[in-house]
Amino acid sequence: MLDIKKIRNDFPILSREVNNKPLIYFDNAATSQKPISVINSLTEFYSKYNSNVHRGVHTLSMESTDLFEEARNRVAKFINSKNSESIIWTRNSTEGINLVSNSWGRKNIQPGDEILVTAMEHHSNLVPWQILADINKAKLVILPINNDGTLNLDEIDTFINSKTKIVSAVHMSNSLGTINPIQELCSKAHKVGAKFMLDGAQSVPHIPTDVADIDCDFLVFSGHKMLGPTGIGVLYVKPEILEEMDPFLTGGEMVLEVSYEKAKWNELPMKFEAGTPNIADAIALGEAIVYLENIGMQNIRNHEIELTEYALSKFKSLDKLTLFGPLDPLIRGGILSFHSEDIHPHDIGTFLDHEGIAIRTGHHCTMPLIRSLNIPATSRASFYIYNTKDEIDYFINTLGNAIRYFTDVK
Ligand code: C6P
C-alpha cells in the first residue's frame, strides 16, 4: 500500500484549487505532475551548477557533466540497460522514434520491406514510419485490434513475416489503456530477423521496465509523463545496433574531429546528441527516477491496478457511456477512455473542469484509431501515484451529473 497522503504532500500543485474546487488531476497520460524534489533539482542546477557539459575544464562544467552523466546512469539502471552508452537523451518519445526511423530506418529498410505497427499507435509511432515507407519504397502494415481493444494476434505469423524488417509497437495504449503482449511481439520479430521497437511513453512511468528481459532493440519514453520535466526524453538502443547507426542530427558535440571536408563522429552516446543538451531537465529526470524508485515501480503498478479496478466497477453505475479497452485491469493501465453518443467529449471535459476535474478530451493523437471506432473523440481519465479512490468517487458522481445535465437539456 502506498502512503498516498505523504505522496500528495510532495506535489505542490495538488493543493491548488480550480474553479474554487480542489484540483483532481486525471490527465496524467498527457503529462504528470512534478514532486518538489524535481522542482528543487531545477532550481538547484541553475543556482549552483549552471554550465555546459563535456566542454569545459572549469569546475562548474565538470560538476554539471558529472550530474548529467549520473542522471544517464540512473536511467540505464532504471530500465536495466547494461550500459549507459545505450541511453540517448532526446526531447521526448516523438524525437526518439524519429531518430530511429531516420537513422536506422533509412539505412536498413529496402524497397519491398515491411514495417509493422499496430492499429492503436500514437501519431508519433505512425507518421515517422509512413514517411520512411514512402521514401524507402517499403510497405507499412497495420496489425488490427479486436472489439475489446486488444491486439488481434490471430494471424500474427502472417503479419510478422520474412519481409518484416521492424515491428514498432506501443506498450500501453494512450487511448484504450490496453497493455500489449510485447514480449510475444518482440520474440516473433526476432524470429524473422526483424528489429523490435517499443513505445514506452505510457508504460515506463507506470510499469517496471526491463530492456534486457524484453530484449527490445529500441525503447523510447518521455520524462514529463514520469514526474520529470518537459523537454527531456530517452531513447534506448541495443549497443551493437547503436554502433552501426549513423547520426540523425549533426553539428557540435557529436563530432570528434572535423576538417573543412569531413567529420569523424564522437563516441557513444554523444554521437547522437548534437548541440547543447537539455542539461537541467536530464538531471531533474534523474531525480524523478529516484522518487519513483523510492516508492517502487511494482507498488506503483499495484496501486494503479487497484484504482483501475475500482473505477471500472464504478463506471457500471453510469448509463449511456461506452468504455473502451479491455475490462481486465491486469491487461490495461489506469487510462479510461469513454464516449456518450448524446454528449460531445468537449462538453464533458468542460463540465468536469468547472468542478475542478482535469481530464483530456479529443483524439489523443490516435486519429486513425478513434475514427475506426466511429466516434469523433473520447473523454479520457488517466491516473497516477497520487490519485485516490475518493477522487474517483467524486469524478464518477460528477460525470453522472454531467450526463443528466446534457441529456436533460435535450
Ligand atoms: N501522448 C497523450 O495525451 P511525447 O509527446 O513525445 O512526449 O509523447 C508522444 C507519445 C508517444 N506514444 C504514446 C503512446 C503517447 O501517449 C505519447 C504522448 C500524450 O496521450 C500527448 S499526445
Side-chain angles (χ1 to χ4, degrees):
M1 284 272 282
L2 305 189
D3 187 346
I4 306 290
K5 204 165 163 220
K6 186 165 170 289
I7 289 174
R8 289 182 69 86
N9 283 338
D10 292 332
F11 291 78
I13 204 168
L14 296 181
S15 58
R16 74 160 278 186
E17 295 194 336
V18 168
N19 294 319
N20 298 320
K21 303 276 166 40
L23 166 67
I24 293 186
Y25 189 76
F26 280 175
D27 195 17
N28 293 287
T31 198
S32 73
Q33 296 303 343
K34 323 300 173 199
I36 193 70
S37 58
V38 168
I39 299 168
N40 285 345
S41 162
L42 292 169
T43 317
E44 190 178 66
F45 177 78
Y46 288 117
S47 314
K48 292 191 190 159
Y49 304 105
N50 182 43
S51 55
N52 215 324
V53 289
H54 296 301
R55 286 157 170 82
V57 291
H58 61 81
T59 301
L60 289 189
S61 179
M62 289 189 288
E63 285 176 353
S64 68
T65 302
D66 285 349
L67 290 169
F68 182 67
E69 290 306 323
E70 209 176 288
R72 196 193 301 274
N73 294 339
R74 273 201 179 127
V75 169
K77 207 168 135 260
F78 184 65
I79 58 167
N80 197 25
S81 162
K82 297 281 174 278
N83 64 64
S84 53
E85 289 79 41
S86 282
I87 306 300
I88 297 162
W89 296 119
T90 60
R91 279 183 304 143
N92 45 40
S93 305
T94 305
E95 187 176 296
I97 299 169
N98 276 274
L99 196 159
V100 174
S101 71
N102 278 282
S103 170
W104 181 88
R106 289 206 191 186
K107 193 171 169 183
N108 290 284
I109 298 292
Q110 308 298 328
D113 284 351
E114 294 186 2
I115 299 163
L116 183 73
V117 298
T118 80
M120 62 175 87
E121 297 309 321
H122 187 278
H123 297 163
S124 295
N125 196 26
L126 178 63
V127 180
W129 303 116
Q130 290 173 342
I131 293 173
L132 176 66
D134 200 35
I135 291 174
N136 286 26
K137 314 237 171 311
K139 189 173 164 201
L140 182 61
V141 182
I142 312 291
L143 186 65
I145 58 171
N146 299 309
N147 287 339
D148 68 353
T150 55
L151 286 179
N152 183 337
L153 300 175
D154 292 351
E155 292 175 41
I156 189 66
D157 293 324
T158 313
F159 277 94
I160 300 180
N161 59 57
S162 58
K163 286 187 183 162
T164 313
K165 290 295 166 304
I166 187 163
V167 176
S168 189
V170 66
H171 194 175
M172 186 195 293
S173 159
N174 67 320
S175 288
L176 303 171
T178 315
I179 296 175
N180 288 319
I182 48 149
Q183 217 108 20
E184 188 182 340
L185 292 178
C186 182
S187 73
K188 290 217 179 270
H190 285 166
K191 257 192 202 136
V192 297
K195 300 283 182 263
F196 182 73
M197 169 142 180
L198 186 59
D199 175 355
Q202 297 294 348
S203 59
V204 173
H206 303 274
I207 302 177
T209 307
D210 184 328
V211 288
D213 191 40
I214 301 167
D215 198 29
C216 55
D217 301 291
F218 308 100
L219 164 73
V220 292
F221 53 100
S222 302
H224 70 94
K225 292 187 200 289
M226 50 188 286
L227 313 182
T230 50
I232 188 75
V234 172
L235 165 67
Y236 158 85
V237 186
K238 261 189 193 161
E240 59 272 26
I241 301 171
L242 205 47
E243 291 287 350
E244 287 172 14
M245 276 168 57
D246 292 329
F248 170 40
L249 297 175
T250 57
E253 176 73 1
M254 51 72 64
V255 280
L256 212 53
E257 228 181 276
V258 184
S259 67
Y260 281 116
E261 291 76 31
K262 56 183 195 307
K264 193 174 160 204
W265 312 141
N266 204 341
E267 289 159 14
L268 293 170
M270 273 83 82
K271 176 175 149 187
F272 292 96
E273 293 177 356
T276 298
N278 199 345
I279 307 163
D281 293 322
I283 294 167
L285 174 57
E287 278 308 315
I289 288 175
V290 169
Y291 191 92
L292 291 170
E293 280 177 335
N294 282 343
I295 296 174
M297 288 308 294
Q298 192 54 52
N299 295 332
I300 292 171
R301 174 70 185 132
N302 294 346
H303 172 65
E304 290 176 16
I305 289 174
E306 204 178 312
L307 286 185
T308 306
E309 198 160 30
Y310 187 72
L312 287 171
S313 74
K314 291 284 164 179
F315 253 91
K316 289 186 190 140
S317 67
L318 298 170
D319 298 332
K320 301 179 183 158
L321 281 189
T322 306
L323 189 69
F324 299 100
L327 294 175
D328 177 356
L330 295 180
I331 56 161
R332 75 175 297 150
I335 293 177
L336 301 188
S337 251
F338 52 93
H339 182 59
S340 159
E341 290 227 329
D342 303 321
I343 317 168
H344 194 280
H346 290 349
D347 288 335
I348 291 184
T350 307
F351 190 100
L352 294 180
D353 180 58
H354 280 152
E355 303 301 322
I357 304 169
I359 62 159
R360 183 172 171 189
T361 60
H363 52 65
H364 318 297
C365 300
T366 55
M367 212 185 264
L369 170 69
I370 299 296
R371 288 206 173 137
S372 75
L373 300 171
N374 292 319
I375 50 171
T378 77
S379 305
R380 184 188 71 183
S382 50
F383 312 135
Y384 211 3
I385 44 176
Y386 32 71
N387 292 127
T388 65
K389 288 183 182 168
D390 286 348
E391 287 182 315
I392 291 173
D393 285 340
Y394 180 68
F395 162 68
I396 295 286
N397 192 33
T398 313
L399 193 52
N401 293 342
I403 294 168
R404 278 185 290 281
Y405 176 82
F406 287 111
T407 47
D408 279 356
V409 167
K410 277 194 157 183

